[in-house]
Amino acid sequence: MESFLPFHKADLGDEEIAGVVDVLRSGWLTTGPKVKEFEQEFAAMVGTQHAVAVNSCTAALHLALEAAGLREGDEVLVPTMTFAATAEVVTYFKARPVLIDCTQDTLNLDIDRIEQAITDKTKAIIPAHFAGQPCDMDQIQSIARARGLHVIEDAAHALPARYKGKMVGSIADSTCFSFYATKSITTGEGGMVTTNNADWAARIRMMSLHGLSRDAWNRYSAEGSWYYEILSPGFKYNLTDIAAALGLAQLKKCDQFWKTRERYANFYHEGFRDLPEIMCPEAVPHVQHAWHLYVIQLDLDRLRITRNEFIRQLQQAGIGCSVHFIPLHLHPYYRNVWGYRPDDLPVSNMVFQRTLSLPLYSKMTETDIDRAIQTVRNLVLENRR
Ligand SMILES: Cc1ncc(COP(=O)(O)O)c(C=O)c1O
């Protein structure tokens, strides 16, 4: 029996270990020079003026909405086909997350459904770039501009991604990235907000550390001063220098990781090309897909087994897989508190029955990818109608 191929494994080398050890030896563990350097390198890479490091993408989204001035009773448009974090941050303000259906091809939010969801309470849109495929930002920005809405991107999957030549992270009012353990680069837990708005960057930075006028590095370093003031009741969302050291080493390899994932995504496309039972994800024109996830859709009418059974048999054959996502409107909280029913967002509802995510990461070998392809192919051939 071959060993189990996990759904994800982080790609860490000696550089990451050396970077972390340096920080441990330095005696300064929390937010300090390494975080500053990570922010600068990240801002340079995505081509934005400001980058503020925080301890998760969830924190990044929360602070971006806070800087945008979200208030109780406001509404924010959010895709239903996303992770919990994208919408939960809206509820932190006692505001309302208004869920938008997806399109079947990209699984990104359906832009044709935005206008009808806007009310006089709508303050912002949070497009999430599903699996690393950028949403149509020109269309979203143009609706937002006409209606006076903020656009805050959930780019947890979208590093490194491009839209019409521009890096995701340099396009919207602000963009939030994740460095969670399974993401394209990782700091264990971590996140980043990018923006070209200097006032927002300053507000996000201040609110990420209790709303203090100075951070600890500015108080305890040789040129620092002990004095600080509380300017606003903030949060404890700062990233540590230990995590930033990991991030700096990972950032240098980000493009190389991406090239490997893109190559493997192409292996999957080729491997399934002749199977009408499988719909493969495709990059739309004018984008660089980050290929964080490889999400296929099964044509259940052509198969004798359900998606759940398909996953069970894949796992049994040693291939780890997952489902992205259970649409938000199907979860008890959104049903009970906001009154959503499955058919309210019919495309996501239908797609959810058919999707599964296959392993896609740079630590995989070509043999691993071949094995995943062959196992999926065999399952399809065995269970064809
Ligand atoms: C689309 C999306 N947004 C936000 C997040 C939250 O990221 P973090 O765990 O860094 O808070 C995730 C995490 O999986 C995600 O998939």
Side-chain angles (χ1 to χ4, degrees):
M1 170 79 183
E2 285 177 284
S3 62
F4 188 77
L5 175 66
F7 178 68
H8 183 80
K9 231 189 213 175
D11 199 340
L12 302 167
D14 291 342
E15 302 80 1
E16 283 79 357
I17 293 167
V20 169
V21 168
D22 276 353
V23 170
L24 298 182
R25 292 223 159 91
S26 79
W28 184 266
L29 305 186
T30 189
T31 315
K34 287 291 170 194
V35 167
K36 188 106 295 178
E37 198 182 330
F38 185 37
E39 290 174 342
Q40 285 164 355
E41 301 265 317
F42 196 90
M45 177 175 154
V46 304
T48 182
Q49 285 174 33
H50 309 279
V52 183
V54 287
N55 58 15
S56 72
C57 181
T58 310
L61 290 162
H62 184 190
L63 294 174
L65 288 175
E66 204 277 338
L70 197 69
R71 298 269 180 279
E72 181 170 349
D74 289 344
E75 295 179 359
V76 178
L77 308 189
V78 177
T80 191
M81 193 51 101
T82 187
F83 185 61
T86 320
E88 106 200 356
V89 290
V90 174
T91 69
Y92 294 179
F93 297 85
K94 297 194 167 71
R96 178 188 183 110
V98 176
L99 304 180
I100 307 283
D101 210 350
C102 68
T103 58
Q104 200 192 338
D105 52 354
T106 63
L107 306 182
N108 275 331
L109 90 176
D110 183 349
I111 288 167
D112 293 340
R113 292 177 193 268
I114 291 180
E115 287 278 5
Q116 70 206 56
I118 295 175
T119 71
D120 53 9
K121 293 183 184 159
T122 313
K123 290 291 169 347
I125 309 176
I126 311 182
H129 306 300
F130 184 92
Q133 166 109 273
C135 297
D136 191 333
M137 292 307 295
D138 279 354
Q139 287 201 54
I140 292 172
Q141 304 252 77
S142 124
I143 298 171
R145 251 182 242 120
R147 301 300 207 106
L149 310 178
H150 297 296
V151 178
I152 290 156
E153 291 168 283
D154 180 338
H157 300 181
L159 183 75
R162 285 176 193 274
Y163 173 78
K164 297 191 176 167
K166 287 191 205 146
M167 286 291 288
V168 168
S170 67
I171 301 167
D173 296 330
S174 61
T175 308
C176 302
F177 293 91
S178 175
F179 310 129
Y180 178 66
T182 60
K183 296 298 192 288
S184 58
I185 68 165
T186 185
T187 60
E189 300 279 356
M192 189 78 78
V193 190
T194 61
T195 178
N196 287 321
N197 182 324
D199 293 339
W200 281 22
R203 176 83 189 173
I204 289 166
R205 188 175 297 289
M206 178 185 82
M207 293 303 276
S208 74
L209 194 71
H210 307 296
L212 303 189
S213 55
R214 284 166 204 276
D215 66 21
W217 178 249
N218 283 325
R219 281 182 277 128
Y220 297 134
S221 60
E223 60 277 20
S225 152
W226 60 270
Y227 186 76
Y228 64 85
E229 290 175 321
I230 301 165
L231 302 178
S232 194
F235 308 96
K236 183 69 167 79
Y237 283 162
N238 56 306
L239 192 74
T240 66
D241 262 21
I242 303 171
L246 261 175
L248 277 164
Q250 290 267 288
L251 198 59
K252 290 193 176 64
K253 304 175 184 176
C254 183
D255 264 325
Q256 171 204 326
F257 289 165
W258 171 73
K259 283 192 182 110
T260 306
R261 289 195 310 275
E262 194 199 36
R263 196 157 58 86
Y264 290 171
N266 286 327
F267 287 179
Y268 275 138
H269 301 334
E270 284 306 313
F272 304 143
R273 188 179 288 282
D274 61 324
L275 299 179
E277 291 83 358
I278 294 183
M279 177 176 153
C280 292
E282 256 180 62
V284 301
H286 314 299
V287 306
Q288 173 179 305
H289 195 310
W291 294 116
H292 165 54
L293 298 172
Y294 196 86
V295 178
I296 60 170
Q297 296 182 44
L298 302 175
D299 185 343
L300 296 173
D301 292 336
R302 292 174 183 268
L303 291 169
R304 282 184 280 107
I305 53 172
T306 62
R307 183 274 316 272
N308 289 358
E309 180 57 20
F310 200 95
I311 289 183
R312 200 190 63 74
Q313 291 195 28
L314 260 187
Q315 300 255 119
Q316 210 167 34
I319 308 294
C321 42
S322 188
V323 174
H324 295 87
F325 291 96
I326 306 169
L328 295 180
H329 73 284
L330 300 183
H331 288 280
Y333 168 74
Y334 289 92
R335 285 195 273 118
N336 299 338
V337 175
W338 301 107
Y340 283 103
R341 285 161 300 141
D343 290 344
D344 290 345
L345 298 121
V347 180
S348 308
N349 197 32
M350 178 270 292
V351 154
F352 167 59
Q353 317 291 326
R354 309 164 28 119
T355 49
L356 70 124
S357 309
L358 299 175
L360 180 67
Y361 47 97
S362 50
K363 262 293 216 211
M364 290 172 82
T365 62
E366 291 194 10
T367 314
D368 293 332
I369 277 280
D370 285 344
R371 186 176 147 214
I373 291 171
Q374 277 317 318
T375 312
V376 170
R377 286 188 64 86
N378 291 344
L379 257 185
V380 167
L381 299 178
E382 282 161 22
N383 291 288
R384 262 191 171 148
R385 265 191 205 281

